Amino acid sequence: MPLCMGCLNEITNSSARCENCGFDNSVPQNAPFLPYGTVLNNKYVVAKDLSTNGESTCYLGYDKTTGKVITIREFLPIGLFSRDQDEKIITILPDAVTNYSVAVADFETYYRKIMSLSDMSAMIVIDDIFRENNTCYVIEETNDHIPFSDYVKKNGGQLDWDVARPLFMPIISLLEALHKVGIGHYAVSPSNLFVNSEGKLILTGFSTENERKRGTMLKSQLFSGCAAPEQYRNDNVLDASTDVYGFTATLFFALTGKLPANAKERTKDSRLLISTNTVKRLPPHVVSTLANGLQMRRDVRISDFEELRSQLSVASTVQAIQEEISRTASMTPIKKDDGSKSKVSATAVGIVATIVALLVFSAVGLYWLSINPLKGLFIDETVAPTMVASTEDWTGPVVADYTGKSYEDVVASAEADGSITLKVSADGEFSDSVPQGYVVSQTPAAGEPITSNSSVLYVVLSKGPEMKELPEVADKSLEDASKELIELGFIVLQDTEYSGSYSEGTVMGYSNFKAGDKVESGSEITLRVSKGTEVTDEE
């Protein structure tokens, strides 16, 4: 019996709507995704598309040799290829051959390294990696997992540290192992964590660095609140401290029920707000670790996983000492040689225990201060006032206000000044009030003192309104129309149909929109592409 392409349960008719999940098997899967029922490597059956990012797409799949449901990941880099409806082989765009070759090689190497770590408890299991259809595929095991955000919600919206600790410590070990083999995750977030049937956290959402940083050859995917500030700039290297930021942000979510503000927003106001009630129920060393792991500056952020593990494990040592004090205070008195019992005053024991405890907690307190707790962290039910150094006495030069100015004007000003090194955010920011190509924000802010002969100015340029007007695409080639839409930030799909009016490969228009419609940037736009005149057999 045929399988439903939506849930992989058996159905009586391959073109029928599934009684189990309601999936309509009569509607084909849109290009550039693989057609339903495609068989890969002679054994893996492709079903519906599950998710996609700038680097790859995941499909629901079926292993004909084992009968197991799997996940099939296909390397499918947006903007570097094309694939027609019902086709399997992808066509690399002429001007993207070099980038594509580098990206697919990085993708395969990355997943082979992940495959070598499949025995770790928090790691997804990779069963197979192979090349086919001019691209690369990864076969992952699929199990019934609960999304971590749902798990937190079912547990009252926030976890106690005693619950979170055993869940998160294996994630630290996994991230440490990834960096030891030369790769990182760079997308640790509630969206990429699941709880399995054994109650353990599983980390998913793996992609190469090309996908986890602005300014690369791929359309990047970053997770707001968990992506570190360096991921929003194309001039920074990602390292272990980048994953520390994502891990700590996710732990922050687990313990407080909310994510930190987006890193781009925190460049203006780096404060983290934790309610008083939440702080009262968290151990002090955990609060300080959250602050240290979410530092905007990498030179003061927790730099590696050994340090992260150490800061989160401080209380274990304190508890062990407390237990030893308690055990010693309740020991049976020792007998003297003359047979008489040495009776130790309970008061004396209490005094000794108290002194030892004070010494222990003093030492812990000094350690807690030494790791710079609460740096940039304000704890209150409301927003606390910002503590900044006074600049009232500064009489030297200050940073000019570039907001609202065109990029060309800022470049001219930087060149005229000579002491300013201009850096432009590769990401940009949508704005309804600032025209495209003009400065939305800057770092340092206007009025900040210039204390050296050379200053670096980071500016964020407007991408214009988030709602973009669809251009006229009729009579254009698929390549030209796709390129124009991709530059506007859209994900381009295609439907093909016969036409006596348009030559093969020519765009006839949009499937669900029309030229002039305003559509949210990042939306999927489907183009109607001609297959040419239909040829029929004459009687």
Side-chain angles (χ1 to χ4, degrees), residues 37 229 246 259 281 384 444:
L259 285 169
R281 65 179 182 80

Side-chain angles (χ1 to χ4, degrees), residues 443-459:
T443 303
E448 288 290 322
I450 298 176
T451 58
S452 64
N453 294 328
S454 179
S455 301
V456 178
L457 175 69
Y458 291 92
V459 295

Side-chain angles (χ1 to χ4, degrees), residues 225-242:
C226 294
E230 58 267 22
Q231 293 179 260
Y232 290 92
R233 299 194 292 268
N234 60 5
D235 58 342
N236 277 326
V237 174
L238 308 187
D239 57 17
S241 69
T242 307

Side-chain angles (χ1 to χ4, degrees), residues 166-405:
L167 287 172
F168 276 85
M169 297 310 277
I171 301 296
I172 296 180
S173 298
L174 175 54
L175 293 173
E176 187 173 39
L178 286 173
H179 283 269
K180 284 182 178 179
V181 298
I183 58 176
H185 189 277
Y186 308 133
V188 182
S189 69
S191 299
N192 289 326
L193 284 176
F194 293 81
V195 180
N196 67 12
S197 58
E198 298 175 356
K200 297 180 180 179
L201 275 186
I202 302 296
L203 183 61
T204 65
F206 291 88
S207 288
T208 68
E209 186 172 325
N210 294 324
E211 179 63 12
R212 300 307 184 198
K213 179 181 176 181
R214 301 299 195 208
T216 70
M217 67 189 80
L218 301 182
K219 182 177 175 61
S220 59
Q221 180 192 44
L222 304 182
F223 291 85
S224 181
C226 294
E230 58 267 22
Q231 293 179 260
Y232 290 92
R233 299 194 292 268
N234 60 5
D235 58 342
N236 277 326
V237 174
L238 308 187
D239 57 17
S241 69
T242 307
D243 268 331
V244 166
Y245 189 101
F247 173 92
T248 313
T250 307
L251 180 60
F252 184 96
F253 167 81
L255 298 174
T256 69
K258 64 178 182 178
L259 285 169
N262 184 291
K264 293 191 296 182
E265 298 172 8
R266 294 189 67 215
T267 59
K268 304 172 185 176
D269 184 352
S270 64
R271 294 173 300 179
L272 297 168
L273 301 179
I274 306 180
S275 70
T276 304
N277 290 335
T278 299
V279 171
K280 286 179 179 178
R281 65 179 182 80
L282 292 178
H285 73 282
V286 174
V287 177
S288 67
T289 304
L290 294 176
N292 292 332
L294 288 169
Q295 289 293 323
M296 295 293 287
R297 288 171 44 197
R298 284 201 279 189
D299 60 336
V300 293
R301 190 189 307 160
I302 296 173
S303 60
D304 56 53
F305 303 105
E306 183 177 355
E307 182 185 356
L308 176 62
R309 186 184 291 109
S310 174
Q311 289 200 24
L312 285 175
S313 301
V314 170
S316 299
T317 304
V318 176
Q319 183 177 357
I321 296 173
Q322 284 181 291
E323 291 174 351
E324 179 64 19
I325 293 172
S326 177
R327 186 187 67 81
T328 305
S330 60
M331 287 175 59
T332 304
I334 300 174
K335 294 182 179 180
K336 284 188 176 181
D337 290 339
D338 61 2
S340 62
K341 293 182 179 180
S342 174
K343 297 182 179 179
V344 181
S345 165
T347 302
V349 171
I351 292 173
V352 171
T354 301
I355 292 172
V356 173
L358 287 172
L359 290 173
V360 169
F361 285 110
S362 296
V364 172
L366 289 172
Y367 173 78
W368 191 50
L369 290 172
S370 72
I371 60 176
N372 205 11
L374 312 184
K375 184 185 291 181
L377 182 69
F378 293 91
I379 304 167
D380 203 338
E381 296 287 355
T382 57
V383 177
T386 305
M387 303 294 290
V388 296
S390 173
T391 58
E392 293 179 358
D393 298 330
W394 178 258
T395 58
V398 297
V399 178
D401 186 0
Y402 295 98
T403 56
K405 294 185 177 181

Side-chain angles (χ1 to χ4, degrees), residues 49-229:
D49 162 58
L50 297 174
S51 63
T52 188
N53 60 27
E55 179 177 72
S56 63
T57 287
C58 283
Y59 304 94
L60 180 67
Y62 177 76
D63 187 337
K64 295 198 299 181
T65 61
T66 64
K68 291 182 178 179
V69 175
I70 55 173
T71 297
I72 301 172
R73 183 178 295 275
E74 180 182 36
F75 178 69
L76 214 61
I78 292 174
L80 303 184
F81 77 100
S82 66
R83 179 160 59 195
D84 293 337
Q85 185 72 30
D86 298 326
E87 290 293 324
K88 300 177 185 177
I89 298 174
I90 71 170
T91 300
I92 303 170
L93 298 181
D95 59 350
V97 173
T98 300
N99 282 345
Y100 184 91
S101 299
V102 171
V104 72
D106 287 348
F107 178 85
E108 182 175 4
T109 300
Y110 182 86
Y111 270 94
R112 291 200 181 280
K113 289 183 177 181
I114 290 176
M115 193 175 187
S116 69
L117 302 174
S118 290
D119 59 340
M120 299 194 72
S121 65
M123 175 62 90
I124 58 174
V125 177
I126 306 295
D127 289 330
D128 201 0
I129 301 174
F130 57 93
R131 295 279 190 109
E132 194 174 326
N133 298 330
N134 211 18
T135 186
C136 184
Y137 296 92
V138 177
I139 306 301
E140 304 172 12
E141 282 190 7
T142 299
N143 295 296
D144 291 331
H145 295 157
I146 303 173
F148 183 63
S149 55
D150 289 351
Y151 177 84
V152 173
K153 186 176 181 180
K154 290 179 180 178
N155 282 271
Q158 52 187 216
L159 304 181
D160 289 334
W161 172 237
D162 289 342
V163 175
R165 186 179 187 280
L167 287 172
F168 276 85
M169 297 310 277
I171 301 296
I172 296 180
S173 298
L174 175 54
L175 293 173
E176 187 173 39
L178 286 173
H179 283 269
K180 284 182 178 179
V181 298
I183 58 176
H185 189 277
Y186 308 133
V188 182
S189 69
S191 299
N192 289 326
L193 284 176
F194 293 81
V195 180
N196 67 12
S197 58
E198 298 175 356
K200 297 180 180 179
L201 275 186
I202 302 296
L203 183 61
T204 65
F206 291 88
S207 288
T208 68
E209 186 172 325
N210 294 324
E211 179 63 12
R212 300 307 184 198
K213 179 181 176 181
R214 301 299 195 208
T216 70
M217 67 189 80
L218 301 182
K219 182 177 175 61
S220 59
Q221 180 192 44
L222 304 182
F223 291 85
S224 181
C226 294

